[in-house]
Amino acid sequence: MHRSTASPTLPSGRTLGLGLALVSAFAFGGSGTAAKPLIEAGLSPLHVVWLRVTGAAVALLPVAYRHRDAVLRRPALLLGFGLIAVAGVQACYFAAISRIPVGVALLIEYLGPPLLIGYVRFVQRKPITRGAAIGAGVAVAGLACVVEFWNGLSFDALGVLFALGAACCQVGYFVLADAGRRGDRPVDPLAVSAFGLLIGAVLLTALTRPWQADWSRLGGSVVMNGHTLPAFLPAAWMVLIATVLAYLTGVIAVGHLSPPVAGVVANLEAVVAAVAAWVLLGEHLGLPQIAGGLLVLAGAFAAQASKPAEAGAGSPTDGRGTAEPGTVEPGAAEAGAPGPATAERGVSGRSSRTSRGD
């Protein structure tokens, strides 16, 4: 649908995008809190991830059927999203935490937003707003405090490489979500999410061998912060909220905020995960984590608060006649004018921390 370039429409679009990005961050951030009781009940982290992705894929089958023409229109895009944004992050992250501490792996993976800004600036050759760049740096500094990476400092070259691979796959999530709405054959964001999860589920099935898991545990009960509840409740939350809702809102948000800004806002996932673990699992936060959470919030605010420059000749646009948030006109950038800007991944201390690819 064509959007007018009149100024009143822009704030509403950015407001909608920010709202959806926040919903996505909150949904993704709660995945570990739901996954931890299942893991403690006897399911392996890999099998919990498979349950999460496959359950979401099944739930989105009607969406995939409705948008089945997308397979013919942009098959490479859908395959890439499933391979990179769903299965790729999973495989790289679990390989990383098998060799380095969870907090360090999370910190490296959440270098995704700065890497994304570098990709947009040097590969796509689009100017980046100062707010987006500063926000990414502040958010990563805050994240270092949230995950308390200094408690598990160690160096393993291969583990670090795997974690960097997860960060690159996280970049792919935002780049591919943005690419789906561009070009001569745009694809509905709902289709990108649905087919991406379907493809990811197939790939993860080969990786995790789910037939070896004891799925009867889902018919029993689990313990969450001293309270007993049916195992299917956290499982349903993990599938429907932390995956279906999280992916759908996240992919749509990218179209309104641009990949750089959406990537910085996504850092809130780690803060949400830590707070959810505090409230629901009794994993108390220390002063450095609280301070780190405030830094992540400040970084996200700085990134999304940058106002878009007026579109002009030669300025990067989103294909609808408006300057893309997070980028600025080349001339404006030089003049200094502002422009717009998981399932449980492992158990180590605050094991409910998650990241986007879960």
Side-chain angles (χ1 to χ4, degrees), residues 23-24 26-32 34-35 48-60 81 85-86 90 173 193-194 196-198 201 204 234-251 342-344 355-358:
V23 170
S24 179
F26 273 77
F28 271 122
S31 62
V48 170
V49 169
W50 178 87
L51 172 66
R52 179 184 178 186
V53 174
T54 304
V58 171
L60 289 176
F81 193 86
V86 178
Q90 307 290 342
Y173 170 91
S193 297
L197 287 166
L198 280 170
L204 286 172
W237 179 276
M238 182 179 64
V239 169
L240 299 178
I241 304 299
T243 310
V244 173
L245 179 64
Y247 268 96
L248 293 180
T249 54
V251 171
T342 101
E344 179 80 0
S355 57
R356 173 164 303 272
D358 287 347

Side-chain angles (χ1 to χ4, degrees), residues 36 100-103 147 152 283 344 346-353:
K36 183 174 182 178
I100 61 177
V102 171
V147 302
E283 297 180 351
E344 179 80 0
V347 181
S348 174
R350 307 193 188 282
S351 58
S352 59
R353 294 168 185 153

